[in-house]
Amino acid sequence: MGDYGLRMRDHDRRISAARLQDGVETIKKRLRGLRYRLYTRICADIGVFTKGNEVRMGKGKGSFDYWAARVAVSRVLFEIKGELHEEVARDAFRLAAAKLPGLYEFVKKGDPPVMGITKVPEGTTWAEMKKPVKHLPVVDVPPVLPPVLVHVTTATATATATATRVPPATTSP
């Protein structure tokens, strides 16, 4: 949608609505007076409920505390479109990233896509990324038979034990 964006490069996080609003206000403050359109790509739609410290188990869920959003790795949070220089957009996103928890990176239109934290090379498809890197030769392995259980009676066990006993060595003068 936009020309420039702010993408999370850290592991999954839960970001509160207040922190997201701080990021939006920081971007708007830096870009004041310029012609742009800001897209917020995530929404704080998860209610977080907390109970006080040292409260016994039970007695309900707790009271509502704040709204939050789950942000996955490589998810774009904000995008900007308009008549902006790249350095101005980069500076606005740098200031916003300082207000948000986690690590973020600046992206622009035309950057290679990302799967997790891996940048996908040009012309590579999702199916090619899932293939194994090293092709191993196929070796025919004979089937392994399950071990055969043998029931040993006590009479044969004692007879075998006495037959395999070695008498103590005697010393000759």
Side-chain angles (χ1 to χ4, degrees), residues 11-77:
H11 57 83
D12 300 344
R13 290 210 180 256
R14 188 165 70 178
I15 301 176
S16 67
R19 297 293 77 77
L20 288 173
Q21 190 61 34
D22 288 345
V24 169
E25 289 172 3
T26 304
I27 293 170
K28 287 181 178 180
K29 190 174 190 179
R30 174 61 182 92
L31 300 179
R32 185 172 289 145
L34 300 175
R35 295 184 52 150
Y36 69 94
R37 170 76 188 217
L38 177 66
Y39 299 98
T40 304
R41 298 279 303 272
I42 59 171
C43 176
D45 57 351
I46 299 168
V48 178
F49 296 80
T50 57
K51 294 177 81 169
N53 292 336
E54 299 183 10
V55 175
R56 294 183 179 207
M57 299 287 286
K59 305 274 192 278
K61 185 174 185 179
S63 60
F64 174 80
D65 199 14
Y66 60 92
W67 289 101
R70 286 195 185 104
V71 182
V73 65
S74 299
R75 179 76 192 260
V76 176
L77 275 69

Side-chain angles (χ1 to χ4, degrees), residues 111-115 118-126 128-129:
D111 282 352
V114 174
M115 282 183 62
T118 306
K119 294 195 186 325
V120 179
E122 187 72 29
T124 305
T125 63
W126 182 81
E128 291 173 355
M129 288 289 289

Side-chain angles (χ1 to χ4, degrees), residues 85-96:
H85 192 271
E86 181 181 336
E87 292 301 318
V88 175
R90 188 181 296 269
D91 187 48
F93 284 139
R94 179 187 58 81
L95 293 171

